[in-house]
Amino acid sequence: MREESSEEEMDVMDTPERVKNNQITASVSKFEDSPVFNFLNSLSPIQPVKSIHITQTINPLSFASLPSVFTSPHVGSLRESRIPRRHQLSDPSKPEFSSDNGSVIVDRNKGKMDTNKLDEQEENLDPGASNGQVAGEPSCEFAENFQYDRDSLKAKHVEEHACNSSTLVPLVEKTSLRQLYGGEVNLEAVSQIDQHKEAASCDWESLISDTSDLLNLESPNNTESFEKSVDPATTFYRSIKNAMQNMHSICPVVSGEQVGGRSEPENLLTQPGEGRESMDAESHDIIAGSSITDPSEKMEYEHLSGLYRGMRRRCLVFEMAGVRSKHLEENSGSDSSVLPQFDGNTTANLQLVPTKRGNDSSCRVLPGIGLHLNALAATPKDYKIVNHEASASGRLLIGPSSSSNFHHPTSDQELFSNILADNLMEREIDTVESVGLPVEDPCQKSGYMANEEINQCSPKKKRRRLEQGGEAEACKRCNCKKSKCLKLYCECFAAGVYCVEPCACIDCFNKPVHEDTVLATRKQIESRNPLAFAPKVIRASDSRPEEDFSKTPASARHKRGCNCKKSGCLKKYCECYQGGVGCSINCRCEGCKNAFGRKDGSGVLGTDHELEEDELDTTERAVLDGDSQRTTTQSDFKQSMDSAPPATPSRTGRQLVQPFSSKRKPPRSSSFPSISSTSGFPASQPFGKSSFFPPPPKFDKHFDCVMEDEVPEFLQGGSPVGGIKSSSPNQKRVSPPQRMETSPGLRSSRKLILRSIPSFPSLTTNQ
DNA sequence: GAGTTTGAAACT
DNA sequence: CAGTTTCAAACTC
């Protein structure tokens, strides 16, 4: 305790200089003290050899033990932006680099010094941290970011914008490696210190403040890691932390998000959509107002803030989609500014984005609901699955209309959307890799959709548009006229979500205002059929991962089976088909031609659909391709997508997504979800969609990402998972895939049960 | 956008 | 459990 206090005091009292002296001295001094070293440095600014050498050496070594911290999706996000810059520095040979040189170098003298110092600190921190990575990581990142930003931000700003997802994704790896190179960076920095010593008038204050800002902007995960950091050793670190805390105070949602690992619907609700905006604005202000005195610096920061803001926004978006939606609704779209980035096209892309909505009087996005269910719907099917139903929106980042994803950004909006999508994807990927959990929250993604919807005029139109965009699924919307949205006819109700503004229902009682009624009705229905709100589609077990992937649709099954007579189970009238699963013995369908698998077991293969099936498999396999590891990842990914919607990955609906709970109603001719198991998700886009896929199934409502072995549990348990009857609606709801739910990387052993049971979110908060 | 088809949900 | 009705989504024009 004592030490801590002291340190804190130091934070306040120490000047940058002092910090430097105290902390940096040791490690750096050894280099600086070397006459030879100095001499060499003075001779030439180029010191690539050393760096390279180190890199080669360290890289492999560090690679092996990648700290979990690195896996953080957020980190990845940062890395994205960072990577490019970094790259430049490390690779002088590149044309970009050389071109920048002239202008950059000059700047560098000023910025470099800062960077060097940071690096130095990093050095100190790393060793000092018993847990090293945790403590050192943050600072390291910061330093890197800072350096990159400073060095190349101006020159590269445009280029970065040009970066598309494909570019970013690959970079992630680099970034990770780079982080691992801590030593390299440090050395590099050190070597450069002397060179720029003269210019060493570093503005630590600004640096620190800037750093803080950057950190604040960083993803929650980073924040979390910071907070978790056990190593109090550095004042620098502490200062950053403090800054972050301040930030948190400004926007509790962010911290909560980070800490919790998942967004809390209620909390979100309590956080007005404005909150986000204000937060951004504030952070921006902070940055701008920070000790940056140099106008040029300000400009740089503005860029940075823009970049980071975008990233952060993205993060927030995930968690706050619901809020945002609400906000928009409340403001009746007056806040166009809030979502300026999205245009129609963007939205389509955003399918990837999770979401859901809620409303107060009319249709509101249930905070909880939206996130959970939608999340389910969200992404790719499970959205990361999110509930398809709810999340389907999954939409994944990769939505059906993936076109946008791949399309070159021509405008800021597009750029933003792409970035967002990329981020989502990245996040999902990262999550999967690091945690093995589903990632996105479809709901969140849906949120975007919802927003858009809100802006549209009539519910129907909105709906159609959304559907066309492929997002419709993300958020459930109904059109009930006689059921009052209190029967299972109502998709919203069935999905366990409140109706929202986009709904075109009449006399709707499925609103927070009628919470009692809704709950009572639900109970009644459940009493009649305990599984009424359970996910309709049950995912197959993980035991056969490969099979899952390649034949996910087939492996999953509809809970009750369909009863189709005329549609041949080839249209969405068929719940099995809609859910993207094959028919099973439970089905009483006639003339089953379900492309996902026939009732008779002929399945797709060997039958008329064989070809189709094959294609499907191929496509899926291509994506998954492979090895067990991949399988895991994919499955996770899918889940995240489905559940997602989103990003929050988890139960549903990546999903999402995935990137998604909701039902993903696939656009009529939209691409087929890749599969997922659990829920459908739109997924594939990121990987490329297959032309063959049938319209995406609505992966249902609840995402079920239940493994076969679990099925019994789920079905048998007198009460549906999570207990439909459970007391707390929130609990009932499938939450967006949250990392908390799944265990990292243990796909094989873990059982995912989508609690899809939609429980109505706690109505209390919703109001 | 209106009308039709379809099959799940609800009811008897 | 079977038959019928109701309902809203899916689909067609």
Side-chain angles (χ1 to χ4, degrees):
Chain A
M1 291 297 286
R2 219 177 176 56
E3 283 186 13
E4 236 178 80
S5 317
S6 310
E7 286 181 3
E8 288 182 356
E9 286 182 14
M10 285 182 71
D11 286 340
V12 175
M13 301 178 68
D14 284 357
T15 62
E17 245 72 14
R18 205 169 155 185
V19 171
K20 175 184 176 183
N21 292 334
N22 293 337
Q23 301 178 350
I24 300 170
T25 309
S27 59
V28 175
S29 64
K30 54 187 172 185
F31 293 99
E32 290 181 355
D33 291 348
S34 172
V36 175
F37 183 82
N38 290 336
F39 178 73
L40 292 175
N41 288 336
S42 64
L43 292 176
S44 170
I46 300 170
Q47 315 157 350
V49 173
K50 193 169 188 178
S51 298
I52 291 169
H53 177 70
I54 292 168
T55 299
Q56 291 175 342
T57 302
I58 295 172
N59 190 356
L61 294 174
S62 19
F63 199 7
S65 61
L66 204 86
S68 61
V69 173
F70 293 151
T71 58
S72 166
H74 290 287
V75 170
S77 299
L78 290 177
R79 290 175 188 169
E80 284 181 359
S81 63
R82 182 173 60 192
I83 292 168
R85 295 177 195 124
R86 173 59 173 170
H87 193 304
Q88 294 169 6
L89 288 174
S90 63
D91 188 353
S93 65
K94 285 197 174 183
E96 296 174 22
F97 185 88
S98 53
S99 65
D100 286 352
N101 260 343
S103 60
V104 171
I105 279 200
V106 173
D107 262 4
R108 255 184 208 177
N109 287 334
K110 182 178 181 184
K112 192 152 224 167
M113 205 43 207
D114 293 346
T115 299
N116 290 337
K117 288 181 179 180
L118 289 173
D119 287 346
E120 289 176 353
Q121 286 192 345
E122 278 181 61
E123 213 171 22
N124 290 332
L125 292 173
D126 289 344
S130 51
N131 300 332
Q133 298 164 334
V134 175
E137 172 70 7
S139 61
C140 186
E141 276 200 8
F142 168 77
E144 287 182 2
N145 288 335
F146 185 80
Q147 183 177 357
Y148 291 134
D149 291 345
R150 292 210 162 234
D151 292 349
S152 59
L153 183 63
K154 288 180 180 178
K156 297 298 175 182
H157 187 65
V158 173
E159 288 183 2
E160 287 183 358
H161 278 274
C163 291
N164 58 22
S165 61
S166 62
T167 303
L168 294 175
V169 171
L171 290 176
V172 171
E173 244 184 76
K174 290 181 180 179
T175 304
S176 297
L177 292 175
R178 190 173 178 307
Q179 289 180 339
L180 293 176
Y181 301 179
E184 177 198 349
V185 173
N186 291 340
L187 291 176
E188 214 177 318
V190 171
S191 65
Q192 293 176 352
I193 290 172
D194 283 352
Q195 286 183 343
H196 302 288
K197 236 173 186 175
E198 318 101 321
S201 60
C202 54
D203 36 298
W204 272 93
E205 288 181 1
S206 64
L207 180 65
I208 292 171
S209 66
D210 289 351
T211 300
S212 298
D213 290 343
L214 288 174
L215 291 174
N216 287 336
L217 293 173
E218 280 190 279
S219 71
N221 288 340
N222 286 339
T223 301
E224 186 176 1
S225 63
F226 273 97
E227 291 181 356
K228 287 180 179 178
S229 171
V230 179
D231 179 5
T234 30
T235 56
F236 178 75
Y237 172 77
R238 285 194 174 281
S239 66
I240 291 168
K241 183 179 178 180
N242 290 337
M244 290 184 72
Q245 289 178 342
N246 291 336
M247 196 61 181
H248 288 172
S249 66
I250 292 168
C251 183
V253 171
V254 172
S255 64
E257 186 182 335
Q258 293 172 346
V259 173
R262 85 182 256 230
S263 62
E264 187 67 30
E266 287 78 10
N267 290 340
L268 292 176
L269 286 179
T270 59
Q271 299 291 331
E274 307 89 36
R276 186 189 294 169
E277 286 306 313
S278 64
M279 193 168 86
D280 286 343
E282 279 199 64
S283 53
H284 189 281
D285 290 346
I286 290 170
I287 292 170
S290 62
S291 25
I292 298 170
T293 54
D294 183 321
S296 64
E297 283 188 18
K298 278 190 176 181
M299 289 185 65
E300 288 184 0
Y301 281 96
E302 300 229 298
H303 285 297
L304 285 174
S305 71
L307 285 172
Y308 285 94
R309 210 199 309 182
M311 291 181 189
R312 182 179 60 180
R313 181 184 285 276
R314 165 179 68 175
C315 293
L316 292 175
V317 169
F318 283 84
E319 272 113 24
M320 298 180 71
V323 172
R324 176 168 281 216
S325 298
K326 182 179 179 179
H327 178 62
L328 291 175
E329 288 180 8
E330 290 177 358
N331 290 296
S332 57
S334 58
D335 295 312
S336 55
S337 63
V338 173
L339 297 175
Q341 304 90 328
F342 306 92
D343 58 1
N345 291 337
T346 299
T347 301
N349 291 337
L350 291 181
Q351 278 183 340
L352 300 179
V353 180
T355 328
K356 227 191 174 164
R357 54 304 170 151
N359 72 1
D360 273 311
S361 45
S362 51
C363 292
R364 92 191 267 166
V365 173
L366 295 182
I369 292 170
L371 293 175
H372 298 259
L373 295 181
N374 292 329
L376 297 178
T379 331
K381 282 182 157 203
D382 292 24
Y383 170 61
K384 241 174 187 207
I385 319 182
V386 178
N387 184 357
H388 286 309
E389 300 176 355
S391 59
S393 32
R395 331 167 143 325
L396 273 192
L397 307 181
I398 316 166
S401 54
S402 52
S403 60
S404 59
N405 289 334
F406 296 94
H407 129 333
H408 292 274
T410 55
S411 67
D412 289 346
Q413 290 181 356
E414 287 181 355
L415 176 63
F416 179 86
S417 65
N418 287 337
I419 291 170
L420 177 62
D422 289 346
N423 286 333
L424 290 174
M425 285 294 294
E426 184 178 294
R427 188 177 181 180
E428 289 179 358
I429 292 169
D430 285 355
T431 300
V432 170
E433 290 178 357
S434 64
V435 180
L437 295 177
V439 175
E440 286 206 351
D441 183 347
C443 293
Q444 292 173 349
K445 289 179 181 179
S446 309
Y448 283 108
M449 302 297 287
N451 290 340
E452 248 196 331
E453 290 178 351
I454 292 166
N455 292 333
Q456 297 179 7
C457 324
S458 79
K460 275 196 176 182
K461 285 183 181 179
K462 291 176 183 178
R463 183 178 187 173
R464 288 189 180 181
R465 285 184 186 181
L466 290 175
E467 288 180 356
Q468 288 178 356
E471 284 275 329
E473 296 171 0
C475 302
K476 287 184 178 288
R477 309 173 199 71
C478 66
N479 193 32
C480 307
K481 293 183 173 58
K482 299 179 180 179
S483 67
K484 298 184 183 198
C485 296
L486 289 177
K487 294 195 174 182
L488 293 174
Y489 294 126
C490 175
E491 290 194 5
C492 297
F493 180 80
V497 301
Y498 288 119
C499 289
V500 295
E501 198 243 327
C503 294
C505 44
I506 297 171
D507 278 341
C508 180
F509 277 73
N510 185 25
K511 295 180 180 180
V513 182
H514 300 104
E515 177 182 353
D516 294 342
T517 301
V518 172
L519 293 176
T521 303
R522 281 177 63 88
K523 273 193 174 184
Q524 185 179 7
I525 292 171
E526 286 176 352
S527 66
R528 205 166 32 197
N529 175 14
L531 297 178
F533 294 94
K536 292 180 180 178
V537 176
I538 296 169
R539 187 178 194 269
S541 67
D542 289 357
S543 59
R544 299 170 295 175
E546 288 183 5
E547 203 175 61
D548 273 52
F549 281 113
S550 61
K551 301 177 181 179
T552 299
S555 62
R557 287 288 182 273
H558 191 276
K559 181 177 64 181
R560 279 181 300 102
C562 65
N563 192 33
C564 307
K565 300 278 188 300
K566 300 178 181 178
S567 66
C569 299
L570 287 173
K571 296 195 175 183
K572 291 178 78 179
Y573 294 124
C574 175
E575 291 195 349
C576 295
Y577 180 85
Q578 189 173 49
V581 302
C583 290
S584 65
I585 55 174
N586 294 327
C587 299
R588 286 136 290 164
C589 51
E590 298 176 0
C592 179
K593 295 179 181 177
N594 191 331
F596 296 103
R598 295 183 182 183
K599 172 175 75 174
D600 58 7
S602 59
V604 179
L605 299 178
T607 64
D608 318 357
H609 301 285
E610 184 174 356
L611 180 61
E612 289 179 352
E613 184 77 344
D614 260 13
E615 289 180 10
L616 180 65
D617 285 358
T618 300
T619 302
E620 289 177 352
R621 286 178 188 172
V623 173
L624 301 181
D625 183 48
D627 51 14
S628 62
Q629 251 193 345
R630 252 185 188 180
T631 300
T632 299
T633 300
Q634 278 242 348
S635 93
D636 287 345
F637 179 77
K638 286 177 181 179
Q639 290 176 356
S640 65
M641 293 294 279
D642 286 2
S643 60
T648 348
S650 103
R651 271 171 183 222
T652 275
R654 266 322 215 185
Q655 63 105 292
L656 125 70
V657 212
Q658 223 357 40
F660 316 172
S661 78
S662 23
K663 79 186 348 198
R664 75 181 302 122
K665 310 174 169 183
R668 290 180 184 179
S669 33
S670 63
S671 57
F672 198 44
S674 63
I675 9 162
S676 88
S677 41
T678 343
S679 5
F681 52 75
S684 37
Q685 304 311 10
F687 302 99
K689 86 184 234 161
S690 69
S691 53
F692 151 96
F693 290 129
K698 113 188 202 181
F699 276 88
D700 194 2
K701 316 183 163 202
H702 318 278
F703 256 146
D704 325 153
C705 275
V706 178
M707 310 220 152
E708 282 181 0
D709 34 346
E710 294 183 20
V711 172
E713 255 180 52
F714 177 78
L715 296 176
Q716 292 175 0
S719 61
V721 177
I724 293 172
K725 294 178 179 181
S726 65
S727 49
S728 165
N730 288 338
Q731 290 179 345
K732 293 175 183 177
R733 265 190 187 267
V734 175
S735 36
Q738 315 264 349
R739 320 169 166 193
M740 303 174 76
E741 298 205 358
T742 47
S743 29
L746 300 178
R747 185 173 193 267
S748 58
S749 60
R750 92 185 160 199
K751 292 183 177 183
L752 296 178
I753 295 177
L754 286 188
R755 303 167 171 191
S756 35
I757 306 184
S759 35
F760 279 82
S762 69
L763 304 180
T764 55
T765 54
N766 296 335
Q767 268 314 356

